[in-house]
Amino acid sequence: MKKYLHLIVPSAAVLLCSLFLLTSLDRKVFDIFLRALPSLKESDSVLVVKIDDVSIERVGLFPWTRDIMADAIVFLREMGAESVTFDLSYLDKSPVKVDPRYVQEELPGYLDYGFGQINDTVTQVMDAVASRQIGPKEAPEYRDQIIAFNATVRDSLGTSIAYVTRDVDSYFAKALKFFGKSYLTLTMITPDTVIGEVKTFDMKPYDVEWLESRVALSNIEIRGDTKTPDTLGMTPAIPVLLRSASNAGFVNADPDPDGYRRRVHLLMKYNGRYYGQHIFVPLLEKFGNPKIIVTNSSITLKDVDNNGGRHDIRIP
């Protein structure tokens, strides 16, 4: 009996789990097995930048405007961060923001300077008329010069006033592009998230051709894959941001019925193309965008350059 113990125990465990497959007990047994695994060692090279009570106390109420997020990633770049990913889904345009510091501190100076130029010009001309340096014949010429000069001042003041408001989306987009390896989100639309019997999602508002050419994974080989979830579409970040970022990945991570998240898909499909999970995408780029082989049993990254050595990485 002892001779076959190494076969009996695993077989009994498999049989026990199969009896409760897809039940709450099955999930509990799964959790017990997970606890038996050694803890993963966190990498010091990965940081989660959190918005906590101290952050809100110093910066202001959340959600923060996108110019604040832009300043944050510029700071991260200056501090040597290699890549940055956002788990916030920027699906709508931001309202134009008034810059109170500019209105209070800088704009008055521009206004004083512009109107001061106009006052100086009018004073010089009127003094010249009073001293008879300008006669009736020269008056029309000086009038036209004053009008032209005032138009120049008006344009200059118009530019200064335009800076009262800031397009924070444009500013955030410039910061994403400046950073370089910056990543935003997609949210894949699965059939179970669509209300109603007809399971459809309108992708007309989105540039599908651009998403397929720039965001979908390209260096990928499919070998009989039937397990990767097929979706109805996706909601990406707004174009002004997405096109300035390096890439994007989906953030879908549905919990089990008991509320716990025990697994996450690394790949999802739409329209026959494969898209990567939010953190999987920058990891692929860090590994040099290796070839991905997808089967029903694994996702394999071929010939990965990792810490100076090349090898395959197989993900069950």
Side-chain angles (χ1 to χ4, degrees):
M1 189 72 172
K2 291 182 180 179
K3 182 168 137 179
Y4 299 103
L5 191 61
H6 68 288
L7 296 175
I8 295 173
V9 173
S11 300
V14 170
L15 179 61
L16 178 64
C17 291
S18 64
L19 292 175
F20 302 106
L21 190 63
L22 303 180
T23 69
S24 60
L25 185 57
D26 170 65
R27 290 189 287 270
K28 291 177 181 178
V29 172
F30 179 80
D31 293 344
I32 292 172
F33 275 106
L34 283 183
R35 292 191 188 99
L37 296 175
S39 298
L40 294 174
K41 183 180 178 182
E42 293 185 9
S43 171
D44 293 336
S45 65
V46 180
L47 297 178
V48 178
V49 183
K50 297 189 292 185
I51 299 172
D52 55 13
D53 292 340
V54 176
S55 308
I56 292 173
E57 182 179 334
R58 293 182 179 180
V59 179
L61 293 176
F62 193 78
W64 292 343
T65 52
R66 292 171 192 174
D67 56 329
I68 295 175
M69 309 305 280
D71 290 339
I73 62 174
V74 170
F75 174 76
L76 289 173
R77 186 71 175 86
E78 292 172 346
M79 293 299 291
E82 179 182 331
S83 61
V84 61
T85 66
F86 285 86
D87 62 356
L88 296 171
S89 299
Y90 296 110
L91 304 179
D92 301 299
K93 293 182 179 179
S94 294
V96 175
K97 180 182 177 182
V98 174
D99 187 345
R101 186 198 62 79
Y102 179 81
V103 172
Q104 295 171 6
E105 298 177 12
E106 297 185 38
L107 182 59
Y110 291 125
L111 295 176
D112 289 343
Y113 179 74
F115 283 107
Q117 286 184 303
I118 293 174
N119 291 340
D120 290 344
T121 302
V122 172
T123 298
Q124 291 175 13
V125 171
M126 296 305 296
D127 288 346
V129 171
S131 63
R132 296 186 179 180
Q133 296 176 18
I134 298 177
K137 291 182 180 180
E138 294 86 3
E141 179 183 350
Y142 278 91
R143 178 201 62 200
D144 293 341
Q145 290 181 8
I146 290 174
I147 292 173
F149 178 75
N150 287 351
T152 301
V153 174
R154 180 195 63 203
D155 293 341
S156 177
L157 289 176
T159 300
S160 300
I161 293 171
Y163 284 100
V164 167
T165 59
R166 169 186 269 185
D167 184 344
V168 294
D169 287 341
S170 176
Y171 178 58
F172 188 26
K174 290 177 182 177
L176 290 167
K177 196 166 188 176
F178 164 77
F179 191 99
K181 294 181 180 179
S182 55
Y183 302 86
L184 297 179
T185 68
L186 314 167
T187 301
M188 309 302 286
I189 308 301
T190 57
D192 57 346
T193 60
V194 176
I195 299 173
E197 294 183 2
V198 181
K199 303 294 184 179
T200 60
F201 182 75
D202 185 10
M203 286 292 292
K204 290 180 182 177
Y206 309 108
D207 190 342
V208 175
E209 184 178 349
W210 187 88
L211 290 168
E212 291 183 345
S213 64
R214 297 295 299 275
V215 180
L217 300 175
S218 57
N219 193 13
I220 188 166
E221 180 181 333
I222 310 304
R223 298 180 181 176
D225 169 41
T226 60
K227 290 188 176 181
T228 299
D230 213 341
T231 65
L232 304 174
M234 71 192 79
T235 53
I238 59 175
V240 66
L241 300 181
L242 188 60
R243 294 182 182 227
S244 297
S246 178
N247 210 328
F250 62 82
V251 291
N252 301 63
D254 296 329
D256 288 330
D258 59 2
Y260 288 97
R261 289 183 173 87
R262 293 180 175 84
R263 57 188 60 80
V264 63
H265 292 290
L266 294 184
L267 300 172
M268 299 184 91
K269 292 187 293 184
Y270 167 66
N271 200 28
R273 304 299 299 271
Y274 282 68
Y275 294 83
Q277 193 269 347
H278 182 46
I279 300 302
F280 192 45
V281 171
L283 187 63
L284 289 172
E285 296 200 10
K286 181 177 177 60
F287 287 155
N289 289 310
K291 184 175 183 179
I292 308 166
I293 297 178
V294 184
T295 69
N296 275 346
S297 61
S298 66
I299 298 171
T300 302
L301 312 183
K302 298 294 292 181
D303 198 26
V304 170
D305 184 1
N306 187 21
N307 297 324
R310 305 195 76 91
H311 57 91
D312 294 353
I313 296 178
R314 182 181 180 277
I315 306 167

